[in-house]
Amino acid sequence: MISINTTAKTIMLGVSALVCTSALQAKDHKIKPHAKPAVHAHVDTSRTGWWEKARFGMFIHWGVYTIPAGQYNGKDIPGLGEWIMHDASIPVATYKDYAKKFNPTEYNPEQWVQMAKAAGMKYIVITTKHHDGFALFDSKASDWNVVKATPYGKDLIKPLAEACRKYGMKLGFYYSQANDWGNKGGAAARGHWDDAQKGSMDEYIDKVAVPQVKEILTNYGDVCELWWDVPTDMTKERAAKFLPLLAMQPQIITNDRLGGDVKGDLFTPEQYIPATGIKGLWETCMTMNDTWGFKVNDHNWKSSKTLIRNLIETASKGGNYLLNVGPEPSGKFPQPIVERLEAIGKWMKVNNESIYATTPSPFKALPWGRATTKAAANGNTTIYLHVYNWPANGQLLIPGLTNEVLSAKLLANGKTLKAGKQDNSVVLTVPATALDEVATVVKLQVKGKPQIDAFVQTAEADGSIVLQPGLADLHTAQGGSSMNSEGGDEQNLGYWTDPKASASWQILVKKPGTYSIETWVATPSSTAKINIVAGTQTVQKAVEKTGSYNNYKKLVIGEIKIDKTGVNTIRLTADQANWNPVNVRKIVLSPKG
């Protein structure tokens, strides 16, 4: 995967990990600004229909880097396991010696596919060649491959393709088209460190990369998805050399990382879930621990609960969840991966109806969980309510839903639930305890399309009101560019390149009075000023530079008086003079006295 020095949530304006950002390390890596992500609005649905229904896939990172497994010269190398050659500046000859120890005699592709299928995954994407240039297949374009360079001596992709066909699993290929540290002329994100790497990149593309892509599209049957990565030094002319190959597999889906302004079909956020989803097709890829390729000392495993909720979160926003596994050099999955796949599969066996072929939640926010939807041919809608925090009082409030309820039941056991109305919301009477502590799913059928009243934020227990970026209404002046809401747990408003853009929240005030206002901001500039507007009042505050778009510092904005009981609007705007973009996290209004 990608590895450039920044968090996986930030690039340019500190928002998205797009085509050349990464999660970790290497402080001398430089990031170039990227434009706002393109919207993939015109997609051939006959080609992508299966993908939009699948919602869940397995990513596999495997190769020679599993031999050093994060260690070089007796030291742990910070960063991603599959980037060790680059991050430790390992000479080409030294690194290629690792291949002599790569002998995955316990590789069982049928078992891999069966584990993916049991977990509820609908497709697999495997690294046919990562940035070290090592191919997992028999290639005539380069001897730096598993058949010619290892004692194993057999093609690893062919039996996986056969196993996928046998068990009805779709198979996609990751291919590093630009970065290649083992074949002469391939790009290197930080620049070459060994004379053995030097050569013509155009010659590398013509003689290695293009022929290898042709091989993987020719020799293994139908390929569902082609996953490019890190387009270092990819020009329009270089990218154009790959495009005719796609005609070999007309049904194939491609991502947005080829380079040369080629958009592809999928936007690919990495290691985070966009706060409000993305218009068009998108697929978030995530690791189970901190690395993609196997790394012997990375034991920071996400819990099964977190992984299942990530899947739900992604589906609730209309995306696909591509969850990574990093096999050991032997070919086995590490036991923590096996355990997590089994736990996900157990949950999916009961609740997969609420994930597959679903569309995004109609709610801006739910205080107790998430939702997905399915439209019926008769015009009615099924809403799947994924309840994380089970109500202690036996009443599940669905805020703002005004539709007539046709039926309500627990998905796991089919038990019918009583539905009623409370103000402008639906209330369901539910059992005293949840059926599943990770997420209990309620299947709610309503008449027509979901009708949701505007979301109004209420105060926390201490009286404070927290304005989250993901709950904001975003406003753009005609012809201008908008700000974006991005991120997971740490959401932010970013891409705020147009000072005419603004964000607003509706809040319910039960106790009028004076509120202090604070937020967290990030910007490399010191000339910006932001405003908080409530009614006729405006509080302005200058933003001091924080060093970068991903270095956040607390900003006390000031005080504002809210006299009106009931619904009020709070707006975040920019001072249009000398504006420089600022990233803004949550805004907190705290009552005084």
Side-chain angles (χ1 to χ4, degrees), residues 293-327:
F294 175 71
K295 191 173 180 182
V296 68
N297 286 330
D298 182 359
H299 306 298
N300 188 29
W301 298 99
K302 299 176 182 69
S303 67
S304 299
K305 178 179 179 180
T306 294
L307 297 175
I308 293 168
R309 288 189 176 181
N310 282 345
L311 171 60
I312 295 168
E313 180 86 9
T314 303
S316 78
K317 292 168 181 175
N320 280 19
Y321 188 47
L322 191 62
L323 181 59
N324 185 73
V325 300

Side-chain angles (χ1 to χ4, degrees), residues 30-52:
K30 303 297 182 184
I31 295 187
K32 296 179 180 179
H34 285 261
K36 183 178 174 180
V39 172
H40 307 280
H42 303 290
V43 178
D44 179 0
T45 54
S46 64
R47 181 167 53 86
T48 62
W50 73 268
W51 184 94
E52 294 179 75

Side-chain angles (χ1 to χ4, degrees), residues 12 521-526 543-553:
M12 183 190 169
V521 297
T523 179
S525 175
S526 60
V543 179
E544 297 297 326
K545 62 182 178 181
T546 65
S548 73
Y549 283 117
N550 61 343
N551 183 29
Y552 285 84
K553 293 185 178 180

Side-chain angles (χ1 to χ4, degrees), residues 156-415:
L156 293 168
I157 300 300
K158 183 178 179 180
L160 180 62
E162 292 170 349
C164 285
R165 282 192 291 273
K166 179 176 179 179
Y167 293 102
M169 179 71 66
K170 289 185 177 291
L171 179 62
F173 293 149
Y174 169 113
Y175 184 86
S176 176
Q177 76 285 2
N179 273 263
D180 188 319
W181 314 320
N183 288 295
K184 284 182 179 294
R190 199 184 60 207
H192 295 134
W193 58 90
D194 187 339
D195 287 344
Q197 298 168 318
K198 294 181 179 178
S200 164
M201 185 167 180
D202 290 309
E203 187 172 331
Y204 153 76
I205 288 175
D206 292 340
K207 294 186 176 180
V208 178
V210 167
Q212 285 191 333
V213 172
K214 186 175 182 180
E215 287 173 338
I216 62 176
L217 295 181
T218 301
N219 297 334
Y220 304 104
D222 290 342
V223 180
C224 71
E225 186 175 327
L226 188 54
W227 223 95
W228 312 110
D229 200 17
V230 191
T232 304
D233 299 332
M234 285 294 288
T235 61
K236 289 184 178 180
E237 293 74 20
R238 289 167 178 166
K241 294 180 179 182
F242 293 92
L243 298 180
L245 301 177
L246 302 181
M248 300 171 65
Q249 299 256 5
Q251 81 293 340
I252 204 165
I253 297 170
T254 62
N255 74 350
D256 57 346
R257 302 189 185 195
L258 176 60
D261 293 331
V262 176
K263 301 297 186 289
D265 301 304
L266 309 176
F267 176 54
T268 51
E270 180 169 328
Q271 296 285 43
Y272 79 102
I273 302 166
T276 53
I278 298 169
K279 185 178 180 180
L281 304 184
W282 60 279
E283 176 183 71
T284 190
C285 53
M286 285 192 180
T287 54
M288 287 196 189
N289 52 356
D290 289 334
T291 189
W292 303 91
F294 175 71
K295 191 173 180 182
V296 68
N297 286 330
D298 182 359
H299 306 298
N300 188 29
W301 298 99
K302 299 176 182 69
S303 67
S304 299
K305 178 179 179 180
T306 294
L307 297 175
I308 293 168
R309 288 189 176 181
N310 282 345
L311 171 60
I312 295 168
E313 180 86 9
T314 303
S316 78
K317 292 168 181 175
N320 280 19
Y321 188 47
L322 191 62
L323 181 59
N324 185 73
V325 300
E328 298 173 358
S330 67
K332 293 176 62 177
F333 286 177
Q335 189 57 31
I337 288 177
V338 174
E339 293 168 358
R340 282 154 181 77
L341 290 176
E342 289 175 349
I344 296 169
K346 182 179 179 181
W347 187 89
M348 282 290 284
K349 187 175 182 180
V350 175
N351 300 293
N352 65 73
E353 177 187 331
S354 71
I355 300 296
Y356 298 144
T358 57
T359 47
S361 172
F363 303 97
K364 179 162 283 189
L366 289 169
W368 36 256
R370 301 292 182 266
T372 55
T373 58
K374 283 181 185 175
N378 61 7
N380 296 330
T381 305
T382 299
I383 305 175
Y384 297 95
L385 307 172
H386 300 83
V387 186
Y388 299 165
N389 305 312
W390 199 252
N393 63 359
Q395 300 291 301
L396 182 68
L397 180 69
I398 308 165
L401 182 65
T402 61
N403 298 69
E404 176 188 343
V405 174
L406 301 176
S407 68
K409 64 182 181 180
L410 296 172
L411 186 59
N413 60 17
K415 182 178 178 180

Side-chain angles (χ1 to χ4, degrees), residues 3 26 29 83-90 179 181 188-191 193:
S3 173
H29 293 188
W83 275 72
I84 189 170
M85 182 183 183
H86 179 281
D87 291 345
S89 298
I90 301 175
N179 273 263
W181 314 320
R190 199 184 60 207
W193 58 90

